[in-house]
């Protein structure tokens, strides 16, 4: 088999499963582990994947450097808009309370809310709070703290204390990575602490994440999969992730 054919097989296997290992690929292709490592290195240099210990995962969109909210708002726009609209069916009944995490996908849910939603809305996002205020949402509460310039999220002890004192019907939470083993992950420890507190403050946790997050893991894990009730996404999750979601009884909602 030519090198180009091997590498095509590797990218197809990675797309199907969300993760590949050197040992499995070497056995499947009947070549040495060193040959597979060279193929993975070349594919990584071309931006097709990211090397891990013993294998590879899909390349992280935009790399591992945390990007601004403005940059993330311009990525996967159609998918995020569809997710935001699909999440409307998971809102609590009139008179209920919902937490809206900071993020570019939760922002799309906020934009999709009907004017007469009749809910108590609580958010740590300055941009989301501003949008809801402009839309004349009446029962709107902002979790005040230190504002992160990159994301517009309020973080810190005051936000955590406020979340400890409340109990809401649903928390709509965003994530940078959705991994079958590490669960929900993000880059910043302060935002991770707030996301974790939001999950603990809710009777039901709904994760809004487009398919580019599948299989990725970042610095801080803020919730295990068994702490999630529903995933709203734009495409069916691949093999290992789909199995993990099923094992933990997580409902997957597609647009």
């Amino acid at each position: 088999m030519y090198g180009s054919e091997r590498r095509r097989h590797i990218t197809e296997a990675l797309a199907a499963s969300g993760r590949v290992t050197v040992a499995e690929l070497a056995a499947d292709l009947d070549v040495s582990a060193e040959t597979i490592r060279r193929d993975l290195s070349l594919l990584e240099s071309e931006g097709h994947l990211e090397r891990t210990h013993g294998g590879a995962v899909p390349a992280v969109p935009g790399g591992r450097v945390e990007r601004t909210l403005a940059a993330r708002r311009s990525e996967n726009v159609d998918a995020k808009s569809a997710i935001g609209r699909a999440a409307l069916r998971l809102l609590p009944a009139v008179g209920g309370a919902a937490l809206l995490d900071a993020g570019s996908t939760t922002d799309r849910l906020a934009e999709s809310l009907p004017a007469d939603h009749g809910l108590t809305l609580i958010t740590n996002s300055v941009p989301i709070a501003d949008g809801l205020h402009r839309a004349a949402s009446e029962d709107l509460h902002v979790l005040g703290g230190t504002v992160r310039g990159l994301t517009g999220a309020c973080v810190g002890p005051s936000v955590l204390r406020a979340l400890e004192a409340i109990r809401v019907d649903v928390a709509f939470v965003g994530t940078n990575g959705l991994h079958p083993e590490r669960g929900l992950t993000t880059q910043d420890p302060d935002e991770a602490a707030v996301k974790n507190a939001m999950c603990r403050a809710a009777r039901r946790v709904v994760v809004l994440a487009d398919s580019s997050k599948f299989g990725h893991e970042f610095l801080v894990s803020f919730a295990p999969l068994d702490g999630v009730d529903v995933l709203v996404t734009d495409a069916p999750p691949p093999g290992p992730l789909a199995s993990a979601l099923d094992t933990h009884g997580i409902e997957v909602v597609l647009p």
Side-chain angles (χ1 to χ4, degrees), residues 92 96-99 120 122 163 166-172 198 200-204:
L99 275 165
T120 297
I122 307 167
L163 287 167
I166 64 174
R167 185 72 166 165
V168 301
D169 297 293
V170 185
F172 294 96
M198 284 186 167
R200 289 186 284 108
R203 296 182 181 88
R204 196 177 195 205

Side-chain angles (χ1 to χ4, degrees), residues 14 74 88 138 198 255:
L14 188 57
S74 66
L88 291 175
E138 293 185 1
M198 284 186 167

Side-chain angles (χ1 to χ4, degrees), residues 99 159-160 163-164 192-202 222:
L99 275 165
V159 179
L160 299 179
L163 287 167
E164 288 174 359
V194 172
K195 290 173 182 288
N196 176 270
M198 284 186 167
C199 292
R200 289 186 284 108
F222 63 87

